[in-house]
Amino acid sequence: MSNKSEYSYEYTHILKKDKNCVEKADKFCEDYKMFMNSAKTERECVKYIISHAKNYVEFDKNKIKSIKPYDKFYINNRDKSVVLITIGEEPLDNGFNFVVSHIDSPRLDLKPNPVFENEEICYFHTHYYGGIKKYQWPTIPLSMHGRIFKEDGSYVDVNFGEKDDEPRFIITDLLPHLAKEQENRTLREGIKGEELNIVIGSIPKDFEDDKVKEAVKTNTLKILYDTFGITEKDFARAEIEFVPAFKAYDIGFDRSLIAAYGQDDRVCAYPALMAELENVKPKKTSITVFTDKEEIGSEGNTGMVSEFLFDIVEDLCDIAGVKARDCYRKSICLSSDVNSAYDPTFSDVFEKMNSSYINRGVVLTKYTGHGGKSGSNDASAETMAKVIKLMDKEKVVWQIGELGKVDIGGGGTIAKYMSQRNVDTIDVGVAVLSMHSPYELTSKLDIYHTYLAYKAFLLNE
Protein backbone atom coordinates (compact mmCIF):
# COMPACT_ATOMS: atom_id res chain seq x y z
CA MET A 1 0.00 0.00 0.00
CA SER A 2 1.33 3.43 -0.83
CA ASN A 3 0.12 6.99 -1.00
CA LYS A 4 -0.08 8.53 -4.45
CA SER A 5 -0.37 11.96 -2.83
CA GLU A 6 -1.13 13.47 0.53
CA TYR A 7 -4.86 12.87 0.06
CA SER A 8 -5.07 9.72 -2.09
CA TYR A 9 -4.53 6.03 -1.40
CA GLU A 10 -4.07 2.86 -3.41
CA TYR A 11 -3.85 -0.84 -2.72
CA THR A 12 -0.68 -2.34 -4.15
CA HIS A 13 1.31 -5.57 -4.26
CA ILE A 14 2.08 -7.15 -0.90
CA LEU A 15 5.83 -7.06 -1.56
CA LYS A 16 5.77 -3.27 -1.65
CA LYS A 17 4.69 -3.43 1.99
CA ASP A 18 6.17 -6.71 3.26
CA LYS A 19 9.33 -7.41 1.28
CA ASN A 20 10.45 -10.39 3.33
CA CYS A 21 7.31 -12.56 3.37
CA VAL A 22 7.92 -14.72 0.29
CA GLU A 23 9.89 -17.39 2.15
CA LYS A 24 7.39 -17.41 5.05
CA ALA A 25 4.47 -17.68 2.65
CA ASP A 26 6.14 -20.53 0.75
CA LYS A 27 6.71 -22.47 3.96
CA PHE A 28 3.18 -21.88 5.22
CA CYS A 29 1.68 -22.99 1.91
CA GLU A 30 3.60 -26.27 1.75
CA ASP A 31 1.54 -27.48 4.69
CA TYR A 32 -1.54 -25.87 3.18
CA LYS A 33 -1.13 -27.95 0.02
CA MET A 34 -0.86 -31.12 2.12
CA PHE A 35 -4.11 -30.17 3.83
CA MET A 36 -5.81 -29.58 0.49
CA ASN A 37 -4.68 -32.98 -0.79
CA SER A 38 -5.90 -34.85 2.28
CA ALA A 39 -9.15 -33.01 3.08
CA LYS A 40 -11.32 -32.71 -0.03
CA THR A 41 -14.71 -33.04 1.67
CA GLU A 42 -16.30 -31.65 4.81
CA ARG A 43 -15.99 -35.01 6.62
CA GLU A 44 -12.30 -35.23 5.77
CA CYS A 45 -11.79 -31.64 6.94
CA VAL A 46 -13.43 -32.36 10.29
CA LYS A 47 -11.23 -35.41 10.76
CA TYR A 48 -8.12 -33.36 9.90
CA ILE A 49 -9.07 -30.50 12.22
CA ILE A 50 -9.79 -32.69 15.23
CA SER A 51 -6.60 -34.69 14.69
CA HIS A 52 -4.61 -31.45 14.90
CA ALA A 53 -6.52 -30.04 17.88
CA LYS A 54 -4.44 -32.06 20.31
CA ASN A 55 -4.79 -29.70 23.29
CA TYR A 56 -8.56 -29.37 22.95
CA VAL A 57 -11.00 -31.29 25.15
CA GLU A 58 -14.38 -32.38 23.84
CA PHE A 59 -17.02 -30.00 25.19
CA ASP A 60 -19.80 -31.62 27.24
CA LYS A 61 -22.07 -29.22 29.12
CA ASN A 62 -23.06 -32.01 31.53
CA LYS A 63 -19.48 -32.71 32.58
CA ILE A 64 -17.86 -29.27 32.52
CA LYS A 65 -18.89 -27.39 35.65
CA SER A 66 -16.58 -24.38 35.29
CA ILE A 67 -14.26 -22.75 32.80
CA LYS A 68 -11.05 -20.80 33.24
CA PRO A 69 -8.80 -18.73 30.98
CA TYR A 70 -6.98 -20.66 28.25
CA ASP A 71 -9.17 -23.77 28.48
CA LYS A 72 -9.60 -25.28 25.04
CA PHE A 73 -12.62 -27.21 23.75
CA TYR A 74 -13.84 -28.77 20.53
CA ILE A 75 -17.32 -29.78 19.41
CA ASN A 76 -17.86 -32.20 16.53
CA ASN A 77 -21.23 -31.77 14.82
CA ARG A 78 -22.06 -35.04 13.04
CA ASP A 79 -18.57 -35.32 11.51
CA LYS A 80 -19.50 -32.53 9.08
CA SER A 81 -18.82 -29.32 11.00
CA VAL A 82 -16.61 -28.57 14.00
CA VAL A 83 -16.04 -25.75 16.48
CA LEU A 84 -12.83 -24.92 18.38
CA ILE A 85 -12.99 -22.71 21.48
CA THR A 86 -10.23 -21.04 23.50
CA ILE A 87 -11.34 -19.31 26.70
CA GLY A 88 -9.89 -15.82 27.03
CA GLU A 89 -8.68 -13.73 29.94
CA GLU A 90 -11.73 -11.45 29.92
CA PRO A 91 -15.22 -12.47 31.12
CA LEU A 92 -17.44 -13.98 28.43
CA ASP A 93 -19.87 -11.07 28.59
CA ASN A 94 -17.09 -8.87 27.16
CA GLY A 95 -17.83 -10.67 23.92
CA PHE A 96 -16.35 -13.37 21.69
CA ASN A 97 -14.04 -13.26 18.71
CA PHE A 98 -15.66 -15.47 16.07
CA VAL A 99 -13.86 -16.70 12.96
CA VAL A 100 -16.31 -18.68 10.81
CA SER A 101 -15.34 -20.47 7.59
CA HIS A 102 -17.04 -23.21 5.60
CA ILE A 103 -15.51 -26.53 4.58
CA ASP A 104 -17.93 -27.69 1.89
CA SER A 105 -17.24 -27.00 -1.79
CA PRO A 106 -19.07 -27.43 -5.12
CA ARG A 107 -19.00 -31.05 -6.26
CA LEU A 108 -20.99 -33.94 -7.71
CA ASP A 109 -23.09 -35.99 -5.28
CA LEU A 110 -24.49 -39.42 -6.12
CA LYS A 111 -28.23 -39.80 -6.40
CA PRO A 112 -29.80 -42.28 -3.92
CA ASN A 113 -30.23 -44.84 -6.73
CA PRO A 114 -27.10 -44.14 -8.75
CA VAL A 115 -26.01 -47.30 -10.57
CA PHE A 116 -27.19 -48.00 -14.11
CA GLU A 117 -26.02 -49.69 -17.30
CA ASN A 118 -26.47 -48.38 -20.83
CA GLU A 119 -25.13 -50.24 -23.87
CA GLU A 120 -22.68 -52.26 -21.75
CA ILE A 121 -21.23 -49.24 -19.96
CA CYS A 122 -21.91 -48.85 -16.25
CA TYR A 123 -22.47 -45.37 -14.80
CA PHE A 124 -23.26 -43.44 -11.65
CA HIS A 125 -26.11 -40.90 -11.77
CA THR A 126 -25.08 -37.63 -10.09
CA HIS A 127 -26.76 -34.53 -8.70
CA TYR A 128 -24.47 -31.52 -8.63
CA TYR A 129 -24.00 -29.65 -5.34
CA GLY A 130 -23.53 -25.89 -5.20
CA GLY A 131 -22.89 -23.43 -8.00
CA ILE A 132 -20.91 -25.09 -10.78
CA LYS A 133 -20.39 -24.57 -14.50
CA LYS A 134 -21.50 -28.01 -15.60
CA TYR A 135 -19.40 -28.00 -18.78
CA GLN A 136 -16.21 -27.89 -16.68
CA TRP A 137 -16.76 -31.32 -15.12
CA PRO A 138 -16.63 -33.79 -18.06
CA THR A 139 -13.27 -35.26 -19.17
CA ILE A 140 -11.42 -34.57 -15.91
CA PRO A 141 -10.30 -37.30 -13.50
CA LEU A 142 -12.62 -37.75 -10.53
CA SER A 143 -12.27 -39.50 -7.19
CA MET A 144 -14.90 -40.96 -4.87
CA HIS A 145 -15.29 -39.81 -1.26
CA GLY A 146 -17.91 -40.23 1.45
CA ARG A 147 -19.59 -42.54 3.95
CA ILE A 148 -21.78 -45.58 3.27
CA PHE A 149 -23.87 -47.26 5.96
CA LYS A 150 -24.57 -50.98 5.73
CA GLU A 151 -27.68 -52.87 6.76
CA ASP A 152 -26.11 -53.98 10.05
CA GLY A 153 -25.51 -50.36 11.12
CA SER A 154 -21.78 -50.31 10.45
CA TYR A 155 -20.34 -47.92 7.90
CA VAL A 156 -17.37 -47.57 5.60
CA ASP A 157 -15.60 -44.30 4.82
CA VAL A 158 -14.57 -44.06 1.19
CA ASN A 159 -11.59 -42.20 -0.26
CA PHE A 160 -10.95 -43.88 -3.59
CA GLY A 161 -9.17 -42.60 -6.67
CA GLU A 162 -6.57 -40.39 -4.99
CA LYS A 163 -3.67 -42.85 -4.75
CA ASP A 164 -1.43 -43.44 -7.75
CA ASP A 165 -2.36 -47.13 -7.96
CA GLU A 166 -6.12 -46.53 -7.80
CA PRO A 167 -8.39 -46.01 -10.81
CA ARG A 168 -10.00 -42.66 -11.58
CA PHE A 169 -13.49 -41.94 -12.87
CA ILE A 170 -14.69 -39.68 -15.65
CA ILE A 171 -17.67 -38.05 -17.37
CA THR A 172 -17.64 -38.21 -21.17
CA ASP A 173 -18.22 -35.39 -23.66
CA LEU A 174 -18.94 -35.25 -27.38
CA LEU A 175 -16.15 -35.07 -29.90
CA PRO A 176 -16.16 -31.80 -31.90
CA HIS A 177 -17.01 -33.68 -35.10
CA LEU A 178 -20.45 -34.61 -33.71
CA ALA A 179 -21.09 -31.59 -31.51
CA LYS A 180 -22.83 -29.25 -33.96
CA GLU A 181 -26.15 -29.30 -32.09
CA GLN A 182 -24.46 -29.27 -28.70
CA GLU A 183 -22.46 -26.20 -29.66
CA ASN A 184 -25.70 -24.37 -30.41
CA ARG A 185 -26.77 -24.75 -26.80
CA THR A 186 -26.20 -21.92 -24.35
CA LEU A 187 -23.06 -22.23 -22.25
CA ARG A 188 -25.22 -23.00 -19.21
CA GLU A 189 -26.84 -25.91 -21.08
CA GLY A 190 -23.69 -27.07 -22.88
CA ILE A 191 -23.70 -29.99 -20.50
CA LYS A 192 -27.02 -30.68 -18.78
CA GLY A 193 -27.39 -31.96 -15.25
CA GLU A 194 -28.70 -35.33 -16.39
CA GLU A 195 -25.64 -35.72 -18.64
CA LEU A 196 -23.22 -35.66 -15.70
CA ASN A 197 -23.02 -39.45 -15.58
CA ILE A 198 -19.76 -40.96 -14.31
CA VAL A 199 -18.26 -43.98 -16.09
CA ILE A 200 -17.47 -46.70 -13.54
CA GLY A 201 -17.11 -49.93 -15.56
CA SER A 202 -17.39 -51.77 -18.88
CA ILE A 203 -16.57 -55.44 -18.28
CA PRO A 204 -19.52 -57.90 -17.97
CA LYS A 205 -19.72 -60.53 -15.24
CA ASP A 206 -19.90 -63.45 -17.62
CA PHE A 207 -19.09 -63.25 -21.32
CA GLU A 208 -20.87 -66.51 -22.17
CA ASP A 209 -24.04 -66.39 -20.05
CA ASP A 210 -26.63 -64.42 -22.03
CA LYS A 211 -29.16 -64.93 -19.22
CA VAL A 212 -27.31 -62.48 -16.95
CA LYS A 213 -29.14 -59.18 -17.24
CA GLU A 214 -27.06 -56.01 -17.14
CA ALA A 215 -23.90 -58.04 -16.87
CA VAL A 216 -21.60 -54.98 -16.70
CA LYS A 217 -23.61 -53.51 -13.83
CA THR A 218 -23.57 -56.87 -12.09
CA ASN A 219 -19.80 -57.14 -12.39
CA THR A 220 -19.34 -53.56 -11.21
CA LEU A 221 -21.53 -54.15 -8.17
CA LYS A 222 -19.48 -57.25 -7.36
CA ILE A 223 -16.30 -55.14 -7.47
CA LEU A 224 -17.92 -52.58 -5.17
CA TYR A 225 -18.83 -55.37 -2.76
CA ASP A 226 -15.35 -56.87 -2.87
CA THR A 227 -13.75 -53.43 -2.37
CA PHE A 228 -16.04 -51.81 0.19
CA GLY A 229 -18.38 -54.58 1.36
CA ILE A 230 -21.47 -52.76 0.07
CA THR A 231 -24.48 -53.68 -2.05
CA GLU A 232 -26.62 -51.57 -4.36
CA LYS A 233 -29.21 -51.07 -1.60
CA ASP A 234 -26.57 -49.44 0.61
CA PHE A 235 -26.36 -46.37 -1.64
CA ALA A 236 -29.71 -45.28 -0.17
CA ARG A 237 -27.86 -45.00 3.16
CA ALA A 238 -24.84 -43.18 1.76
CA GLU A 239 -23.34 -39.75 1.21
CA ILE A 240 -20.98 -40.07 -1.74
CA GLU A 241 -19.22 -37.12 -3.35
CA PHE A 242 -17.15 -37.08 -6.52
CA VAL A 243 -14.45 -34.43 -6.65
CA PRO A 244 -11.55 -33.68 -8.99
CA ALA A 245 -8.67 -36.10 -8.49
CA PHE A 246 -6.19 -33.24 -8.82
CA LYS A 247 -3.41 -32.56 -6.34
CA ALA A 248 -2.57 -29.04 -5.23
CA TYR A 249 0.30 -27.66 -7.30
CA ASP A 250 2.41 -24.53 -7.51
CA ILE A 251 1.60 -22.45 -10.58
CA GLY A 252 3.92 -20.23 -12.60
CA PHE A 253 7.67 -20.14 -13.12
CA ASP A 254 7.92 -18.13 -9.90
CA ARG A 255 5.72 -20.68 -8.03
CA SER A 256 3.75 -17.78 -6.59
CA LEU A 257 0.26 -19.26 -7.04
CA ILE A 258 -1.50 -22.44 -5.96
CA ALA A 259 -4.03 -24.41 -7.98
CA ALA A 260 -6.27 -26.80 -6.06
CA TYR A 261 -9.81 -28.09 -5.88
CA GLY A 262 -12.03 -26.64 -3.14
CA GLN A 263 -10.10 -23.49 -2.26
CA ASP A 264 -13.50 -21.87 -1.77
CA ASP A 265 -13.49 -22.01 1.17
CA ARG A 266 -10.73 -24.22 2.53
CA VAL A 267 -8.21 -21.53 1.58
CA CYS A 268 -9.73 -19.59 4.50
CA ALA A 269 -10.44 -22.59 6.74
CA TYR A 270 -6.80 -23.65 6.89
CA PRO A 271 -5.39 -20.23 7.92
CA ALA A 272 -8.22 -19.97 10.47
CA LEU A 273 -7.28 -23.38 11.88
CA MET A 274 -3.59 -22.49 12.13
CA ALA A 275 -4.41 -19.16 13.81
CA GLU A 276 -6.69 -20.87 16.32
CA LEU A 277 -4.18 -23.62 17.14
CA GLU A 278 -1.59 -20.94 17.90
CA ASN A 279 -4.07 -18.92 19.94
CA VAL A 280 -2.63 -19.71 23.36
CA LYS A 281 -3.47 -16.76 25.62
CA PRO A 282 -6.16 -14.60 24.00
CA LYS A 283 -7.78 -11.61 25.65
CA LYS A 284 -11.29 -12.51 24.54
CA THR A 285 -12.67 -16.00 24.13
CA SER A 286 -12.22 -17.21 20.56
CA ILE A 287 -14.75 -19.40 18.77
CA THR A 288 -13.44 -20.73 15.46
CA VAL A 289 -16.09 -22.44 13.37
CA PHE A 290 -15.75 -24.74 10.37
CA THR A 291 -19.25 -25.16 9.02
CA ASP A 292 -20.99 -27.12 6.29
CA LYS A 293 -23.60 -26.46 3.57
CA GLU A 294 -22.62 -22.85 2.75
CA GLU A 295 -22.60 -23.63 -0.96
CA ILE A 296 -26.32 -24.47 -0.87
CA GLY A 297 -27.44 -21.68 1.47
CA SER A 298 -26.05 -22.94 4.80
CA GLU A 299 -29.07 -25.20 5.21
CA GLY A 300 -29.52 -28.27 7.41
CA ASN A 301 -28.33 -29.12 10.90
CA THR A 302 -24.66 -28.85 9.96
CA GLY A 303 -24.98 -25.43 8.29
CA MET A 304 -25.20 -21.96 9.80
CA VAL A 305 -28.99 -21.92 9.55
CA SER A 306 -28.91 -24.55 12.31
CA GLU A 307 -28.99 -23.62 16.01
CA PHE A 308 -25.97 -25.87 16.56
CA LEU A 309 -23.37 -23.14 17.08
CA PHE A 310 -25.70 -20.90 19.04
CA ASP A 311 -26.68 -23.74 21.38
CA ILE A 312 -22.98 -24.21 22.15
CA VAL A 313 -22.59 -20.53 22.94
CA GLU A 314 -25.63 -20.67 25.22
CA ASP A 315 -24.26 -23.72 27.04
CA LEU A 316 -20.91 -21.99 27.49
CA CYS A 317 -22.60 -18.88 28.84
CA ASP A 318 -24.74 -20.93 31.23
CA ILE A 319 -21.59 -22.46 32.72
CA ALA A 320 -20.07 -19.00 33.12
CA GLY A 321 -23.28 -17.55 34.58
CA VAL A 322 -23.82 -14.92 31.88
CA LYS A 323 -26.47 -14.33 29.21
CA ALA A 324 -25.63 -15.26 25.64
CA ARG A 325 -27.38 -12.20 24.26
CA ASP A 326 -25.10 -9.93 26.29
CA CYS A 327 -22.07 -11.74 24.87
CA TYR A 328 -23.27 -11.51 21.26
CA ARG A 329 -23.83 -7.77 21.54
CA LYS A 330 -20.14 -7.19 22.36
CA SER A 331 -18.78 -9.80 19.92
CA ILE A 332 -17.23 -9.45 16.50
CA CYS A 333 -17.05 -12.03 13.73
CA LEU A 334 -14.74 -12.47 10.79
CA SER A 335 -16.77 -14.39 8.24
CA SER A 336 -13.72 -15.99 6.68
CA ASP A 337 -14.85 -16.45 3.11
CA VAL A 338 -13.29 -15.77 -0.27
CA ASN A 339 -13.90 -13.07 -2.83
CA SER A 340 -13.47 -13.19 -6.60
CA ALA A 341 -10.10 -11.91 -7.79
CA TYR A 342 -10.01 -9.47 -10.70
CA ASP A 343 -9.34 -11.43 -13.89
CA PRO A 344 -7.96 -9.26 -16.73
CA THR A 345 -9.13 -11.83 -19.30
CA PHE A 346 -12.75 -11.20 -18.28
CA SER A 347 -12.44 -7.58 -17.19
CA ASP A 348 -15.87 -6.53 -18.45
CA VAL A 349 -17.71 -8.11 -15.48
CA PHE A 350 -15.56 -6.41 -12.83
CA GLU A 351 -15.67 -2.88 -11.48
CA LYS A 352 -11.94 -2.31 -11.44
CA MET A 353 -11.71 0.24 -8.65
CA ASN A 354 -13.65 -1.95 -6.22
CA SER A 355 -12.37 -5.41 -7.10
CA SER A 356 -9.96 -7.54 -5.12
CA TYR A 357 -6.69 -8.62 -6.73
CA ILE A 358 -4.23 -11.44 -6.24
CA ASN A 359 -1.10 -10.51 -4.25
CA ARG A 360 -2.68 -7.42 -2.68
CA GLY A 361 -3.49 -9.00 0.67
CA VAL A 362 -6.45 -10.29 2.61
CA VAL A 363 -9.78 -9.01 1.27
CA LEU A 364 -12.19 -7.07 3.49
CA THR A 365 -15.63 -7.40 1.90
CA LYS A 366 -18.02 -4.87 3.42
CA TYR A 367 -21.07 -6.40 1.76
CA THR A 368 -22.03 -9.17 -0.64
CA GLY A 369 -25.59 -9.83 -1.81
CA HIS A 370 -27.18 -9.21 -5.20
CA GLY A 371 -28.19 -6.01 -6.94
CA GLY A 372 -29.22 -3.61 -4.20
CA LYS A 373 -27.29 -5.61 -1.56
CA SER A 374 -30.11 -8.15 -1.28
CA GLY A 375 -29.20 -10.93 1.17
CA SER A 376 -26.15 -9.04 2.41
CA ASN A 377 -24.72 -8.50 5.87
CA ASP A 378 -23.29 -5.02 5.05
CA ALA A 379 -20.73 -4.35 7.78
CA SER A 380 -21.05 -1.02 9.57
CA ALA A 381 -18.51 1.78 9.36
CA GLU A 382 -17.65 1.09 13.00
CA THR A 383 -16.87 -2.55 12.25
CA MET A 384 -14.80 -1.65 9.20
CA ALA A 385 -12.86 0.92 11.21
CA LYS A 386 -12.16 -1.54 14.01
CA VAL A 387 -10.86 -4.27 11.71
CA ILE A 388 -8.81 -1.89 9.54
CA LYS A 389 -7.20 -0.38 12.64
CA LEU A 390 -6.17 -3.86 13.79
CA MET A 391 -4.83 -4.83 10.36
CA ASP A 392 -2.73 -1.67 10.18
CA LYS A 393 -1.48 -2.08 13.75
CA GLU A 394 -0.34 -5.64 13.08
CA LYS A 395 1.05 -4.79 9.61
CA VAL A 396 -1.33 -7.13 7.81
CA VAL A 397 -1.65 -6.18 4.14
CA TRP A 398 -5.32 -5.80 3.23
CA GLN A 399 -7.54 -4.61 0.40
CA ILE A 400 -11.20 -3.90 -0.24
CA GLY A 401 -13.25 -5.98 -2.66
CA GLU A 402 -16.70 -6.42 -4.21
CA LEU A 403 -17.98 -9.39 -6.17
CA GLY A 404 -18.24 -7.92 -9.67
CA LYS A 405 -20.29 -5.09 -11.14
CA VAL A 406 -23.45 -4.11 -9.31
CA ASP A 407 -25.99 -5.56 -11.73
CA ILE A 408 -23.84 -8.51 -12.82
CA GLY A 409 -22.18 -9.93 -9.73
CA GLY A 410 -23.19 -10.82 -6.23
CA GLY A 411 -23.23 -13.74 -3.89
CA GLY A 412 -23.79 -14.71 -0.29
CA THR A 413 -21.73 -15.86 2.69
CA ILE A 414 -22.38 -16.98 6.24
CA ALA A 415 -21.93 -13.40 7.48
CA LYS A 416 -25.65 -12.66 7.59
CA TYR A 417 -26.35 -15.59 9.91
CA MET A 418 -23.89 -14.26 12.47
CA SER A 419 -25.15 -10.69 12.21
CA GLN A 420 -28.68 -11.94 12.87
CA ARG A 421 -27.44 -12.73 16.40
CA ASN A 422 -26.52 -9.09 16.94
CA VAL A 423 -22.84 -9.77 16.23
CA ASP A 424 -20.79 -7.21 14.30
CA THR A 425 -19.65 -9.16 11.24
CA ILE A 426 -17.43 -8.61 8.22
CA ASP A 427 -16.22 -10.93 5.44
CA VAL A 428 -12.45 -11.36 5.51
CA GLY A 429 -10.69 -13.81 3.19
CA VAL A 430 -8.63 -14.65 0.13
CA ALA A 431 -9.11 -13.48 -3.45
CA VAL A 432 -9.64 -16.44 -5.80
CA LEU A 433 -9.29 -16.78 -9.58
CA SER A 434 -11.57 -19.30 -11.36
CA MET A 435 -13.78 -19.55 -8.28
CA HIS A 436 -16.15 -22.56 -8.19
CA SER A 437 -14.23 -24.27 -10.96
CA PRO A 438 -12.75 -27.76 -10.44
CA TYR A 439 -9.28 -26.17 -10.10
CA GLU A 440 -9.16 -22.76 -8.43
CA LEU A 441 -6.19 -20.39 -8.24
CA THR A 442 -4.90 -18.38 -5.26
CA SER A 443 -1.81 -16.42 -4.21
CA LYS A 444 0.57 -17.77 -1.58
CA LEU A 445 1.20 -14.25 -0.32
CA ASP A 446 -2.52 -13.64 0.11
CA ILE A 447 -2.97 -16.93 1.97
CA TYR A 448 -0.16 -16.08 4.34
CA HIS A 449 -1.47 -12.59 5.09
CA THR A 450 -4.94 -14.03 5.63
CA TYR A 451 -3.41 -16.27 8.29
CA LEU A 452 -1.72 -13.20 9.82
CA ALA A 453 -5.09 -11.39 9.82
CA TYR A 454 -6.89 -14.18 11.68
CA LYS A 455 -4.00 -14.61 14.11
CA ALA A 456 -3.93 -10.89 14.92
CA PHE A 457 -7.70 -10.84 15.38
CA LEU A 458 -7.85 -13.82 17.71
CA LEU A 459 -4.99 -12.61 19.90
CA ASN A 460 -5.45 -8.87 19.95
CA GLU A 461 -8.99 -7.75 19.15
Side-chain angles (χ1 to χ4, degrees), residues 178-427:
L178 299 178
K180 184 177 181 180
E181 290 186 7
Q182 183 193 41
E183 289 172 350
N184 287 331
R185 298 179 184 178
T186 64
L187 193 61
R188 178 185 289 271
E189 295 295 320
I191 294 291
K192 299 178 181 179
E194 298 299 337
E195 295 170 342
L196 292 171
N197 298 315
I198 300 172
V199 176
I200 60 172
S202 64
I203 296 293
K205 183 180 185 300
D206 193 327
F207 284 100
E208 298 178 355
D209 190 352
D210 293 332
K211 295 181 181 179
V212 177
K213 295 182 179 180
E214 297 188 313
V216 175
K217 176 181 174 180
T218 300
N219 187 54
T220 303
L221 288 172
K222 181 180 183 303
I223 293 170
L224 284 166
Y225 182 81
D226 292 341
T227 305
F228 304 115
I230 60 171
T231 66
E232 184 173 13
K233 183 179 178 181
D234 294 329
F235 283 107
R237 295 183 286 259
E239 287 181 347
I240 296 297
E241 307 169 14
F242 275 80
V243 302
F246 300 138
K247 302 295 184 185
Y249 284 107
D250 291 346
I251 297 296
F253 289 113
D254 57 7
R255 308 178 76 96
S256 61
L257 306 173
I258 292 176
Y261 161 72
Q263 295 201 79
D264 176 8
D265 182 39
R266 290 191 274 277
V267 72
C268 294
Y270 181 80
L273 173 62
M274 293 300 105
E276 169 60 36
L277 295 180
E278 296 172 18
N279 187 25
V280 180
K281 295 182 178 181
K283 295 176 183 177
K284 288 186 176 182
T285 293
S286 68
I287 301 181
T288 305
V289 184
F290 306 90
T291 188
D292 183 26
K293 294 291 188 290
E294 192 276 343
E295 296 296 354
I296 59 169
S298 295
E299 305 292 349
N301 56 12
T302 56
M304 285 299 293
V305 169
S306 167
E307 292 294 311
F308 165 66
L309 171 63
F310 309 110
D311 287 346
I312 293 170
V313 173
E314 191 169 322
D315 291 340
L316 198 64
C317 289
D318 287 345
I319 293 170
V322 298
K323 292 182 178 180
R325 66 185 183 188
D326 294 334
C327 300
Y328 286 133
R329 183 168 50 85
K330 294 184 179 179
S331 297
I332 186 168
C333 173
L334 302 190
S335 169
S336 52
D337 208 342
V338 299
N339 203 326
S340 176
Y342 181 87
D343 189 334
T345 303
F346 304 102
S347 60
D348 56 322
V349 299
F350 294 92
E351 199 271 276
K352 196 168 185 178
M353 289 179 60
N354 288 285
S355 294
S356 54
Y357 295 78
I358 62 167
N359 292 322
R360 295 191 188 180
V362 62
V363 184
L364 311 185
T365 305
K366 186 181 187 300
Y367 49 81
T368 54
H370 301 271
K373 301 185 182 179
S374 176
S376 172
N377 162 61
D378 202 357
S380 68
E382 290 84 353
T383 303
M384 294 295 293
K386 196 171 189 177
V387 172
I388 289 171
K389 181 179 179 180
L390 177 64
M391 298 297 104
D392 288 343
K393 174 177 174 286
E394 296 300 322
K395 296 182 171 20
V396 176
V397 182
W398 57 275
Q399 59 179 314
I400 295 293
E402 288 190 13
L403 192 60
K405 289 182 177 178
V406 173
D407 288 329
I408 293 179
T413 69
I414 55 184
K416 65 179 182 180
Y417 303 109
M418 292 302 300
S419 62
Q420 286 169 2
R421 296 287 168 159
N422 199 22
V423 176
D424 289 330
T425 306
I426 177 177
D427 284 295

Side-chain angles (χ1 to χ4, degrees), residues 35-58:
F35 165 75
M36 293 301 291
N37 290 338
S38 62
K40 289 191 171 184
T41 69
E42 65 280 6
R43 289 186 185 273
E44 291 169 359
C45 283
V46 168
K47 182 178 179 181
Y48 182 98
I49 290 164
I50 292 176
S51 71
H52 283 72
K54 300 184 185 301
N55 298 323
Y56 292 72
V57 177
E58 188 167 13

